[in-house]
Amino acid sequence: MEVRILGSVEVQADSGPVTIATPKERAVLEVLALRAGDVVPADGLIDALWGFEPPRSAAKSLQSHVSRLRGALPDGVIVTESGGYRLAVSPDQVDVHRFERLVMAGRQAEEGRDHRRAVQLLDRALSFWSEGALDELADGPLRTGQMVRLDELHLTAVENRVDAHLALGHHEMMAAELEVLVSEHPLRERFWCQLMLALYRSDRRADALATAQRLRRTLVEELGIDPS
């Protein structure tokens, strides 16, 4: 069985796709998948499903959602433990854990100067990424913390992939991609530095200097600071 939560929730069982009917059931699966193989306390699931203002019937409603989710999934996948529930799958069966592992492996390959291997690993990692991750969770500490962590991991993977391509001499290709990245993430200095390097190595020195000036203006106007 494979579980995908980096984007729309999807479950692929041996018998085919599994439909998870309601947002609350999908939210339960998202939380359990984030900690695949570990017990998640019922209180943690309640916080994830209802945020700061759970209904008085939250504990009973949670049991109903878990029961319906258990009925949709293959036998034995949802396990009731003392005080909580566990998704009885390997982390390798959940996209978010495979994503994290590939990002780490790509970074290690880049640090070891195996740039082609780094690009391959990071491309595979980024293929798991999609907009809308954890959308079913209620606003609260769990969702906020996980989204900050995953967004940072995603951007770090993109940065490391760019570094690997630049090391392989793909300067013109990366310059075009980096123009988009700096427009989407104008306060992320590393993308600007990579763009300047890509332009400089593409014999576009005037454009590289103009980019440095754009970065300075952006940081001064937005944050009141100069580039590091």
Side-chain angles (χ1 to χ4, degrees):
M1 188 179 85
E2 291 188 8
V3 180
R4 298 168 189 149
I5 62 173
L6 288 176
S8 300
V9 175
E10 298 178 14
V11 177
Q12 185 73 32
D14 292 341
S15 58
V18 176
T19 300
I20 311 299
T22 72
K24 293 297 187 199
E25 289 160 34
R26 292 193 290 271
V28 170
L29 182 59
E30 285 180 334
V31 179
L32 295 179
L34 283 169
R35 296 180 55 184
D38 295 332
V39 177
V40 179
D43 287 347
L45 285 165
I46 289 172
D47 289 343
L49 267 62
W50 288 284
F52 297 104
E53 298 183 1
R56 296 178 64 180
S57 61
K60 190 170 184 178
S61 296
L62 174 62
Q63 293 176 354
S64 297
H65 292 307
V66 171
S67 178
R68 286 195 290 270
L69 179 62
R70 180 182 279 123
L73 296 175
D75 291 343
V77 172
I78 302 290
V79 179
T80 301
E81 302 276 0
S82 177
Y85 303 93
R86 176 169 58 88
L87 188 68
V89 299
S90 164
D92 285 341
Q93 295 171 263
V94 181
D95 62 349
V96 66
H97 300 292
R98 293 168 68 186
F99 169 71
E100 292 180 62
R101 190 180 69 253
L102 286 165
V103 171
M104 182 176 295
R107 182 177 63 192
Q108 291 172 343
E110 178 59 15
E111 290 173 350
R113 304 184 67 79
D114 189 349
H115 307 302
R116 294 190 186 281
R117 175 70 172 158
V119 168
Q120 292 172 352
L121 290 167
L122 292 167
D123 278 343
R124 285 175 58 196
L126 292 168
S127 72
F128 286 106
W129 187 261
S130 178
E131 296 298 326
L134 308 184
D135 270 359
E136 307 293 0
L137 301 187
D139 288 336
L142 175 64
R143 185 178 188 278
T144 299
Q146 288 291 339
M147 285 309 305
V148 168
R149 183 181 71 85
L150 291 173
D151 283 343
E152 180 60 28
L153 194 62
H154 170 245
L155 289 174
T156 298
V158 174
E159 290 170 339
N160 289 337
R161 174 182 170 275
V162 171
D163 279 341
H165 273 295
L166 292 176
L168 291 169
H170 304 157
H171 308 126
E172 293 183 6
M173 178 179 76
M174 285 297 102
E177 186 172 319
L178 284 160
E179 286 287 5
V180 176
L181 288 169
V182 298
S183 68
E184 293 176 342
H185 307 280
L187 301 182
R188 200 163 181 98
E189 288 188 53
R190 188 171 171 189
F191 284 142
W192 287 94
C193 293
Q194 290 172 324
L195 175 57
M196 285 183 268
L197 182 62
L199 291 169
Y200 181 84
R201 289 181 177 173
S202 300
D203 292 327
R204 296 171 58 187
R205 299 186 181 187
D207 289 336
L209 180 58
T211 297
Q213 294 168 342
R214 284 166 53 201
L215 170 59
R216 184 178 185 281
R217 285 197 302 270
T218 298
L219 293 182
V220 169
E221 291 172 1
E222 295 292 332
L223 301 177
I225 62 173
D226 284 323
S228 62

